[in-house]
């Protein structure tokens, strides 16, 4: 406690921190970047290992024989799908019943806030079909889910076929201690959302669905299957769920362990892991894999049908079959055996998966970075904000001259409050406008301009965003007159602390999003004062604003996926990403759009305001 | 000064009324930071339902409020929102009047007397407070109470903590006004509600004695006579209240269910206090011992603080309120709001505060992190109770630092008022005060 009570030592420390503030901040920033880049260097990462006893030590034998029959079922399913022109509900019900399941259907409908141009849907109506295999060995208190989406066209027929094949095979086994629910959901995530809401009796997004007629126990784990070819070269596991939530690492471990056992090539982010970590290319491969995970997690989207399960405390992942030009192929029987093995292990669970990590990043399937390793990278960035705040506090606490009497002091403090409050309120109102207006005003925009609804929404959002830049720094002058030297310092102190708390909370919930925002916003927060060169700083500020961060992220993401795009295409992609983000919020309750609109953008506007302080 | 106060009251009531009408009210009423098992409105409703059915509200383990509160709401249940808003308004006005009176006394009596007697050293004149500076302090106190987000949350959640705060505020007001009987009655009401305000006995007696020029001296008969008088009024009204509760309910059920519940801490629902995690982790056979340690901890500070601050009973009262709200068994943010409302009274200590920046940052960050970590623990399932407890711990450490910082600043100002502002060492060089 010496530091907190001994005035001499405190003074020494504070003077050191204020004198060396700028170099320490720069150092911290580079240390944070280096730390983050170092995370994917293999010697610094941990090997994955199975933490859950119930899944680790027990042996299971996989005997699923009926891959060929599953593919035949898939063809039949495809034919019926084509005939009906959508989900062949009757056929599915009949087939599932023939396999001895309790079959139920659920109808749902949802009108999107505006048309989704990527998936070409506006008014969505559909049916989920699910069959429950009742556990013969235990009371029906727990359940596992295997789902496959019924996608338009010829996609995912094999997944549904394999699902039915597995259902048939599982039905004849006696060792199931948990109900197994086989779900075929229409309209991918929307159907999944309807089913999950129905299953848990919640309604968070205002969707219409018919109540479920049959239920299993509480769901312990779920896998979603995507398979579009008869043979696959590799299996890819997708972990990133809604709002950047990840399933327990043991689920990924389980997948990896079975891929190793059965000898299937497995990937994460569609990238095979390499063993040459000590070479430059090996290291950059790992970095890129992890960066892809960071980007995907930061987007807050659900990257597969599993993503919505995570919200209900259910560990889930999507397994994707990938068919590329490689020599070595895996047939449907092997994939079936892999799934059988995974379900038998999950069947052995005595409690929910909780032993392993929930906060992790994966540079490859066999290695992971846990929260204790990656948080310092964010912590170093947050320290910069605290140091800047301390610096400002010290400047505020030691005013240059004190010749005014008490009354003047009080007046000054009251204008100080006003000059902080006004920009705060105005920038938050701008943020609220950015959140509300795009969807509210789409009809008006469509009437007056030659645009489609989706374009109207996106363009309104961009217009409000840019309009916000003009607004706040003009209004505070109207209300509080001349801004004082003291005034901007107080405002900046508030803004810096606000940003620190905001980024801290974001990083706890979704590390990637917090880190990316911190990477761009922390430099802004630390250098902005009214005395820096206006034009140059304004350009830098705009380039580091959240909207441009998103634009850069789009290009970097494409680059990482080895699908570089031209600027024109990138711009179109950027627009569609914005519309998808807004849709994700309205359809599934993703929090990234409201976070950016209501919190991050107003906070950034405060710094914009400080730059143009008069 | 009535106009700004009225405006403030209108603003505060509007905010609360608007929040009652919004969908947020339900969410807030469920937050563990805002309601405790004792103060939760949901439980009061349950108690009322049982009472209406003719069953003792204390049968079952849901309701833990006192009988008077349940009979109060038996009549006012339809006007609950108004009752809670009224409680906040009463607290604010009581604090406003109390602080106004206290400031008047500080300036008129103590400071003037000391100045005339030429008791302060010459270089201390800048430490002396002018009435002009102190003009806005009562209003600030009312504002700190009414517009504090903690109070608003507590009121919107209809936590009965608002009623306790009103009673304690009235106790402060009557004490400062010098009315011994009413002070004892309100103190007894506060004690009846939650036991812990018992420790406020000491500052109340010290203050009243100071006001009546009775010296705090164990050898004087007048001292003992006053103590006996006050305790008689206090215990007498406590006796009346307890008997009244008994006659209302017709049984002694409520004693174990209210006071046993507060003292033995059987409900380990997470909250912002220190008890729940500790007692959830502990082996059962240590429970009684640590229960005693934790509970004695709350009461024990009365002794050293009363000795040190016997000339400054109002500051002692502030310290006691803070200690209670930090260490009590089921604290909520409403308790914190009460002592935080009194912070502007000590605004003249600001130049001696050392950690105020650090502490306010930590308090701010923690208040935001509570719901985030709760979400991660309970809903997302990715974090666990350790995360939440870590924040609780940090929050309480920050509060303790805040209070001890004010304590240190107060003592230091008193020291300077006696020894001069610019201290010299024996050899004539400038000296600094170090707390070790």
């Amino acid at each position: 406690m010496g530091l907190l009570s001994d005035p001499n030592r405190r003074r020494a420390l504070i003077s050191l921190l204020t004198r060396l503030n700028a170099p320490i901040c720069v150092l911290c920033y580079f240390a944070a970047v280096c730390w983050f880049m170092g995370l994917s260097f293999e010697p610094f990462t941990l090997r994955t290992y199975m933490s859950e006893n119930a899944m680790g030590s027990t042996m299971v034998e996989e005997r699923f024989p009926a891959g060929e029959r599953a593919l035949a079922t898939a063809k039949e399913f495809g034919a019926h799908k084509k005939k009906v022109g959508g989900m062949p509900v009757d056929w599915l019900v009949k087939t599932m019943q023939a396999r001895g399941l309790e079959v139920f259907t659920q109808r749902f409908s949802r009108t999107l806030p505006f048309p989704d141009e990527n998936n070409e849907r506006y008014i969505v109506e559909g049916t989920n079909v699910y069959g429950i295999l009742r556990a013969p060995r235990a009371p029906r208190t727990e359940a596992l889910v295997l789902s496959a989406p019924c996608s338009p066209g010829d996609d995912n027929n094999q997944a549904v076929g394999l699902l039915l094949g597995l259902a048939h095979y599982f039905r004849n086994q006696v060792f199931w201690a948990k109900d197994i629910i086989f779900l075929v959901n229409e309209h991918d995530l929307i159907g999944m959302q309807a089913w999950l809401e129905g299953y848990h009796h919640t309604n968070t997004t205002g969707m219409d669905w018919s109540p479920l007629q049959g239920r299993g126990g509480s769901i312990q784990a779920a896998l979603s299957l995507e398979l579009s070819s008869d043979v696959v070269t590799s299996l890819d596991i997708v972990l990133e769920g809604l709002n950047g939530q990840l399933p327990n690492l043991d689920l990924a471990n389980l997948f990896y362990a079975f891929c190793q056992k059965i000898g299937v090539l497995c990937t994460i982010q569609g990238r095979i892991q390499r063993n040459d970590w000590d070479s430059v290319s090996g290291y950059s491969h790992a970095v890129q894999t992890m960066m892809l995970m960071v980007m995907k997690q930061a987007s807050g989207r659900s990257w597969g049908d599993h993503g919505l399960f995570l919200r209900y405390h259910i560990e889930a992942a999507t397994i994707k079959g990938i068919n590329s030009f490689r020599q070595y192929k895996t047939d449907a029987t092997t994939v079936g055996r892999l799934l059988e093995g995974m379900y038998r292990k999950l069947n052995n669970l005595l409690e929910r998966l909780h032993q392993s990590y929930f906060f992790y990043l994966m540079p490859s399937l066999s290695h992971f970075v846990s929260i204790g390793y990656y948080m310092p990278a964010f912590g170093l960035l947050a320290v910069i904000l605290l140091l800047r705040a301390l610096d400002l506090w010290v400047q505020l606490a030691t005013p240059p001259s004190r010749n005014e009497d008490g009354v003047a002091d009080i007046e000054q403090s009251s204008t100080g409050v006003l000059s902080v409050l006004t920009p705060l309120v105005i920038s938050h109102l701008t943020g609220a406008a950015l959140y509300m207006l795009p969807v509210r005003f789409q009809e008006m925009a469509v009437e007056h301009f030659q645009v489609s609804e989706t374009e109207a929404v996106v363009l309104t959002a961009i217009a409000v965003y840019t309009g916000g830049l003009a607004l706040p720094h003009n209004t505070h002058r109207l209300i509080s007159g001349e801004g004082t030297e003291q005034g901007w310092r107080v405002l900046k102190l508030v803004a810096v602390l606000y940003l620190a708390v905001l980024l801290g909370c974001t990083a706890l919930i979704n590390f990637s999003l917090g880190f990316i925002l911190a990477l761009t916003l922390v430099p802004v927060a630390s250098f902005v004062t009214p005395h820096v060169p206006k034009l140059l700083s304004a350009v830098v500020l705009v380039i580091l604003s959240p909207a441009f961060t998103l634009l850069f992220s789009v290009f970097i993401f494409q680059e990482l996926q080895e699908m570089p795009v031209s600027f024109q295409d990138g711009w179109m992609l950027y627009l569609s990403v914005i519309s998808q983000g807004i849709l994700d919020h309205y359809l599934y309750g993703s929090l990234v759009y409201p976070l950016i609109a209501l919190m991050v953008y107003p906070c950034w506007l405060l710094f914009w305001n400080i730059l143009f302080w008069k | 000064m009535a106009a700004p106060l009225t405006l403030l009251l209108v603003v505060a009531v509007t905010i609360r009324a608007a929040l009652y009408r919004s969908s947020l009210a339900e969410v807030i009423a469920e937050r563990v930071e805002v309601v405790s098992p004792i103060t939760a409105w949901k439980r009061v409703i349950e108690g009322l339902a049982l009472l209406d059915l003719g069953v003792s509200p204390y049968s079952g383990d849901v309701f833990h409020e006192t009988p008077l509160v349940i009979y109060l709401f038996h009549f006012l249940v339809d006007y609950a929102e108004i009752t809670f808003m009224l409680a906040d308004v009463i607290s604010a006005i009581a604090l406003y009047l109390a602080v106004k009176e206290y400031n008047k006394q500080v300036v008129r009596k103590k400071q003037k007397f000391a100045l005339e007697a030429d008791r302060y050293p010459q270089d201390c004149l800048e430490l002396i407070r002018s009435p002009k500076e102190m003009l806005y302090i009562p209003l600030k106190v009312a504002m700190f109470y009414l517009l504090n987000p903690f109070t608003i949350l507590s009121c919107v959640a209809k936590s009965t903590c608002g009623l306790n705060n009103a009673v304690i505020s009235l106790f402060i007001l009557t004490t400062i006004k010098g009315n011994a009987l009413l002070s004892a009655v309100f103190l007894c009401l506060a004690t009846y509600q939650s036991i812990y305000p018992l420790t406020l006995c000491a500052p109340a007696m010290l203050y009243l004695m100071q006001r009546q020029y009775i010296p705090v001296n164990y050898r004087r008969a007048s001292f003992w006579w006053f103590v006996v008088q006050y305790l008689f009024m206090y215990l007498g009204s406590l006796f009346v209240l307890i008997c009244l509760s008994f006659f209302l309910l017709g049984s002694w059920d409520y004693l174990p269910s209210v006071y046993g519940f507060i003292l033995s801490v059987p409900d380990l629902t997470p909250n912002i206090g220190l008890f729940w995690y500790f007692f959830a982790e502990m082996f059962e056979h240590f429970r009684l011992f640590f229960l005693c340690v934790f509970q004695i901890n709350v009461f024990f500070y009365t002794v050293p603080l009363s000795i040190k601050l016997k000339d400054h009973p109002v500051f002692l009262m502030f310290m006691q309120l803070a200690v209670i709200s930090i260490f009590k068994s089921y604290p909520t943010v409403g308790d914190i709001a009460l002592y935080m409302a009194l912070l502007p009274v000590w605004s003249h200590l600001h130049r001696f505060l050392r950690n105020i920046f650090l502490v306010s940052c930590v308090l701010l960050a923690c208040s935001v992190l509570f719901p985030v970590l709760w979400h991660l623990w309970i809903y997302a399932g990715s974090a666990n109770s350790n995360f939440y407890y870590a924040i609780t711990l940090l929050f309480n450490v920050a509060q303790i630092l805040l209070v001890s910082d004010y304590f240190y600043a107060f003592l230091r100002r008193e020291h300077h008022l006696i020894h001069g502002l610019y201290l010299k060492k024996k050899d004539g060089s400038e000296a600094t005060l170090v707390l070790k």
Side-chain angles (χ1 to χ4, degrees):
Chain A
M1 293 302 278
L3 260 185
L4 290 178
S5 58
D6 185 338
N8 297 325
R9 266 188 268 169
R10 280 167 61 88
R11 210 171 299 146
L13 183 72
I14 287 174
S15 78
L16 184 78
L17 286 181
T18 44
R19 209 153 23 89
L20 296 179
N21 204 289
I24 295 178
C25 288
V26 173
L27 197 69
C28 278
Y29 190 81
F30 284 107
V33 174
C34 291
W35 188 291
F36 182 74
M37 295 311 282
L39 286 178
S40 44
F41 189 51
E42 202 172 299
F44 297 160
T45 57
L46 299 170
R47 268 197 87 80
T48 51
Y49 56 92
M50 191 74 84
S51 300
E52 176 62 59
N53 266 331
M55 293 198 312
S57 54
T58 50
M59 289 298 292
V60 293
E61 220 176 308
E62 310 85 27
R63 290 182 180 155
F64 178 69
E68 289 308 316
R69 240 173 79 189
L71 291 180
T73 322
K75 283 211 180 68
E76 207 179 326
F77 172 74
H80 280 275
K81 189 159 91 174
K82 203 167 273 171
K83 204 165 73 188
V84 183
M87 178 114 152
V89 177
D90 296 332
W91 181 83
L92 265 175
V93 170
K94 223 166 56 201
T95 323
M96 280 192 180
Q97 266 164 354
R99 278 158 176 70
L101 305 179
E102 285 180 33
V103 188
F104 307 95
T105 58
Q106 182 202 28
R107 294 198 54 78
F108 60 88
S109 66
R110 176 83 162 101
T111 309
L112 274 52
F114 56 89
D116 179 357
E117 288 187 349
N118 279 29
N119 298 314
E120 287 167 2
R121 55 192 181 191
Y122 182 43
I123 299 170
V124 179
E125 277 181 7
T127 314
N128 292 325
V129 180
Y130 65 103
I132 305 176
L133 167 59
R134 295 294 181 188
R137 299 263 301 219
R140 297 151 178 186
T141 51
E142 291 175 340
L144 302 170
V145 173
L146 175 61
S147 80
C150 170
S151 327
D154 267 343
D155 286 347
N156 279 331
N157 288 348
Q158 282 80 355
V160 177
L162 191 57
L163 175 130
L164 292 170
L166 281 169
H168 183 62
Y169 174 74
F170 285 2
R171 178 75 181 82
N172 297 324
Q173 310 301 325
V174 290
F175 41 65
W176 299 112
K178 294 176 172 48
D179 292 345
I180 299 180
I181 301 174
F182 297 90
L183 167 67
V184 180
N185 55 314
E186 205 177 352
H187 300 297
D188 47 66
L189 279 168
I190 298 182
M192 193 56 98
Q193 167 90 358
W195 190 79
L196 279 168
E197 285 190 349
Y199 199 90
H200 293 101
H201 272 305
T202 53
N203 198 336
T204 48
T205 50
M207 189 190 281
D208 286 326
W209 37 259
S210 60
L212 297 190
Q213 299 300 318
R215 266 194 194 75
S218 90
I219 303 173
Q220 305 290 306
L223 288 180
S224 175
L225 193 60
E226 287 179 22
L227 210 59
S228 299
S229 55
D230 289 353
V231 285
V232 294
T233 47
S234 61
L235 288 176
D236 186 53
I237 186 163
V238 185
L239 300 168
E240 300 84 1
L242 195 71
N243 290 327
Q245 231 181 315
L246 300 170
N248 194 295
L249 186 57
D250 267 346
L251 201 63
N253 294 340
L254 184 68
F255 171 74
Y256 181 61
F258 269 99
C259 285
Q260 297 293 81
K261 184 181 174 193
I262 294 178
V264 182
L265 199 59
C266 55
T267 60
I268 187 162
Q269 320 299 352
R271 298 165 76 91
I272 302 163
Q273 64 171 338
R274 294 166 53 156
N275 295 321
D276 52 342
W277 55 268
D278 44 356
S279 71
V280 175
S281 66
Y283 169 68
S284 88
H285 186 84
V287 169
Q288 285 172 15
T289 313
M290 196 177 76
M291 286 294 284
L292 268 173
M293 179 154 187
V294 167
M295 292 274 177
K296 283 185 177 176
Q297 198 190 8
S299 74
R301 303 194 60 178
S302 171
W303 287 81
D305 282 358
H306 72 284
L308 298 173
F309 279 99
L310 297 171
R311 173 158 52 187
Y312 297 92
H313 215 325
I314 299 165
E315 309 314 321
T318 295
I319 294 177
K320 263 186 193 164
I322 290 174
N323 194 14
S324 66
F325 302 109
R326 280 174 179 271
Q327 285 276 305
Y328 185 75
K329 305 275 186 192
T330 308
D331 60 357
T333 313
T334 318
V335 179
R337 276 173 52 210
L338 180 114
L339 287 169
E340 185 203 352
M342 287 180 74
Y343 272 86
R344 287 197 59 180
K345 285 261 187 173
L346 289 170
N347 184 48
N348 287 341
L349 278 181
L350 296 175
E351 41 190 346
R352 277 179 191 281
L353 286 172
H354 68 281
Q355 302 268 12
S356 194
Y357 295 82
F358 284 96
F359 298 104
Y360 53 86
L361 295 174
M362 299 192 92
S364 71
L365 249 181
S366 61
H367 285 85
F368 74 103
V369 183
S370 80
I371 182 169
Y373 287 76
Y374 67 61
M375 260 310 177
F378 176 79
L380 285 167
L381 290 177
V383 160
I384 298 178
L385 292 177
L386 295 184
L387 283 177
R388 297 307 297 182
L390 184 74
D391 191 32
L392 283 166
W393 176 258
V394 171
Q395 282 175 18
L396 280 171
T398 51
S401 60
R402 297 193 69 185
N403 46 6
E404 315 103 318
D405 53 357
V407 186
D409 249 350
I410 287 168
E411 268 180 17
Q412 205 185 356
S413 79
S414 65
T415 55
V417 168
L418 203 66
S419 69
V420 172
L421 215 57
T422 325
L424 260 178
V425 169
I426 290 176
S427 45
H428 277 94
L429 286 181
T430 320
L434 179 59
Y435 177 67
M436 315 271 265
L437 292 191
V439 175
R440 291 275 165 86
F441 278 11
Q442 50 170 319
E443 283 166 25
M444 212 163 88
V446 170
E447 261 175 44
H448 293 286
F449 302 100
Q450 286 290 315
V451 285
S452 72
E453 274 102 340
T454 318
E455 282 169 340
V457 171
V458 174
L459 295 177
T460 320
I462 294 178
V464 174
Y465 191 93
T466 33
L469 302 189
L471 194 62
H473 65 272
N474 283 327
T475 36
H476 87 150
R477 249 181 297 169
L478 282 178
I479 295 169
S480 56
E482 287 283 288
T484 54
E485 196 67 0
Q486 205 81 337
W488 74 260
R489 290 222 169 90
V490 175
L491 180 60
K492 188 169 171 187
L493 182 66
V494 170
V496 165
L497 288 178
Y498 181 22
L499 185 66
V501 170
L502 182 62
L503 289 179
C505 291
T506 313
L508 270 176
I509 293 177
N510 184 346
F511 167 76
S512 306
L513 183 61
F515 187 74
I516 290 178
L517 285 176
L519 220 48
T520 53
L521 288 176
V522 166
V524 169
S526 36
F527 87 85
V528 167
T529 64
H531 307 305
V532 288
K534 287 266 171 345
L535 194 67
L536 184 68
S537 318
V539 171
V540 173
L541 216 61
V542 168
I543 284 179
L544 291 178
S545 81
F548 272 83
T549 311
L550 181 62
L551 183 64
F552 297 141
S553 302
V554 167
F555 281 105
I556 294 172
F557 184 70
Q558 291 299 322
E559 201 65 40
L560 285 172
Q561 284 210 314
E562 290 158 5
M563 290 188 287
V565 286
S566 67
F567 186 77
Q568 195 69 33
D569 294 343
W571 178 253
M572 295 315 289
L573 203 59
Y574 175 65
L575 297 183
S576 84
V577 162
I578 295 177
S579 76
Q580 289 299 310
I582 298 176
L583 267 180
D584 273 351
H585 170 59
Y586 284 101
L587 288 181
Y588 317 118
S590 152
L591 291 175
V592 176
Y593 172 56
L595 178 83
I596 300 287
L598 295 174
M599 303 282 203
V600 178
Y601 172 63
C603 193
W604 179 86
L605 274 183
L606 289 179
F607 293 110
W608 181 256
N609 210 329
I610 292 166
L611 181 65
F612 292 99
W613 189 269
K614 291 246 170 63
Chain B
M1 288 300 281
L5 184 65
T6 321
L7 184 69
L8 179 66
L9 293 179
V10 169
V11 170
V13 168
T14 318
I15 292 174
R16 283 161 172 76
L19 280 173
Y20 274 130
R21 297 279 161 274
S22 74
S23 56
L24 280 176
E26 269 177 49
V27 182
I28 294 169
E30 296 283 322
R31 302 292 321 170
V32 286
E33 297 89 0
V34 184
V35 296
S36 71
I38 300 177
T39 60
W41 179 247
K42 227 161 95 176
R43 293 177 184 246
V44 176
I45 294 285
E46 174 76 13
L48 280 174
L50 289 176
L51 193 69
D52 287 342
L53 291 172
V55 186
S56 159
Y58 298 101
S59 57
D61 192 34
V62 176
F63 180 68
H64 299 288
E65 257 298 353
T66 51
L68 279 191
V69 167
I70 198 167
Y71 274 95
L72 174 75
F73 284 115
H74 190 64
F75 301 109
L76 290 178
V77 70
D78 296 331
Y79 310 101
E81 293 175 4
I82 296 172
T83 314
F84 283 107
M85 288 196 273
L86 204 64
D88 272 9
V89 168
I90 290 173
S91 316
I93 293 176
L95 288 175
Y96 175 86
L97 294 175
V99 170
K100 203 170 179 181
E101 174 75 19
Y102 171 67
N103 282 346
K104 212 188 283 172
Q105 284 171 21
V106 167
V107 174
R108 283 232 191 110
K109 292 198 177 151
K110 282 201 200 157
Q111 208 163 275
K112 200 172 164 201
F113 175 69
L115 276 175
E116 279 168 4
D118 222 3
R119 199 182 281 168
Y120 293 141
Q122 275 306 305
D123 54 354
C124 277
L125 286 179
E126 59 180 290
L127 286 184
I128 289 167
R129 310 168 64 196
S130 70
K132 220 182 221 170
E133 279 172 15
M134 292 160 76
L135 185 64
Y136 289 103
I137 287 179
L139 191 68
K140 275 187 195 161
V141 169
M143 195 159 84
F144 262 56
Y145 188 73
L146 283 177
L147 299 187
N148 188 338
F150 288 162
T151 327
I152 296 175
L153 287 178
S154 184
C155 180
V156 172
K158 297 188 203 163
S159 156
T160 51
C161 179
L163 301 180
N164 298 359
N165 284 353
V167 172
I168 295 177
S169 311
L170 285 171
F171 155 73
I172 296 174
L173 174 66
T174 47
T175 312
I176 289 182
K177 288 277 183 190
N179 190 330
L181 176 66
L182 280 181
S183 151
V185 169
F186 280 116
L187 181 59
C188 139
L189 263 175
T191 316
Y192 170 79
Q193 279 292 98
S194 61
I195 300 188
Y196 295 111
L198 177 67
T199 59
L200 293 175
C201 236
M205 281 194 280
L206 285 171
Y207 183 86
L208 290 168
M209 278 191 266
Q210 201 181 64
R211 213 181 141 94
Q212 296 172 17
Y213 303 109
I214 300 169
V216 184
N217 188 336
Y218 307 109
R219 291 182 205 129
R220 293 288 189 84
S222 60
F223 169 77
W224 288 110
W225 176 234
F226 181 82
V227 170
V228 168
Q229 252 181 335
Y230 192 83
L231 285 183
F232 179 75
M233 289 187 284
Y234 173 66
L235 293 175
S237 34
L238 201 58
F239 179 74
V240 170
L241 274 183
I242 286 177
C243 290
L244 180 67
S245 312
F246 171 71
F247 290 125
L248 280 176
L249 281 176
S251 79
W252 292 109
D253 277 356
Y254 73 95
L255 283 180
S257 197
V258 177
Y259 305 115
F261 188 76
I262 293 174
L263 290 177
S264 68
V265 203
D267 192 318
L268 299 179
T269 315
N271 56 29
I272 56 169
L274 297 165
F275 278 67
W276 63 272
Y277 188 85
F278 204 77
F279 284 93
E281 294 285 308
M282 197 181 311
F283 288 119
E284 198 56 36
H285 49 276
F286 293 124
R287 191 184 159 90
L288 184 65
F289 171 69
F290 278 103
L291 204 58
C292 296
V293 172
F294 269 61
Q295 296 287 10
I296 289 170
N297 181 42
V298 190
F299 294 100
F300 186 74
Y301 294 100
T302 319
V303 180
L305 286 177
S306 309
I307 293 170
K308 188 76 201 168
L309 293 172
K310 70 174 191 290
D311 298 330
H312 310 283
V314 177
F315 188 73
L316 175 60
M317 212 181 275
F318 162 76
M319 291 293 295
Q320 288 287 354
L321 283 175
V323 166
I324 290 171
S325 75
I326 296 168
F327 293 116
K328 74 189 282 193
S329 47
Y330 302 102
T332 59
V333 290
D335 297 307
I336 296 168
L338 182 63
Y339 85 82
M340 285 200 170
L342 291 174
L343 290 182
V345 182
W346 320 113
S347 56
H348 58 287
L349 301 178
H350 276 182
R351 57 181 297 171
F352 298 119
L353 291 178
R354 297 159 305 169
N355 301 320
I356 189 73
F357 176 66
L358 182 75
V359 167
S360 38
C361 286
V362 173
L363 282 178
L364 184 82
C366 285
S367 332
V368 180
L369 283 174
F370 274 129
V372 170
L373 288 171
W374 182 261
H375 168 84
L376 283 180
W377 173 23
I378 300 296
Y379 295 100
S382 37
N384 54 40
S385 58
N386 300 333
F387 287 59
Y388 191 76
Y389 186 62
I391 290 302
T392 313
L393 213 53
L394 199 59
F395 187 67
N396 283 308
V397 166
Q399 282 192 77
I400 292 168
L401 277 180
L402 178 77
V403 172
S404 53
D405 213 12
Y406 267 93
F407 185 51
Y408 166 84
F410 191 86
L411 292 183
R412 186 161 164 198
R413 179 170 177 271
E414 291 304 314
H415 184 85
H416 282 308
L417 281 179
I418 296 167
H419 299 286
L421 189 55
Y422 301 103
L423 302 172
K424 292 268 170 17
K425 278 185 194 161
K426 272 177 194 152
D427 56 354
S429 60
E430 196 181 318
T432 46
L433 285 177
V434 178
L435 182 79
K436 282 197 173 154

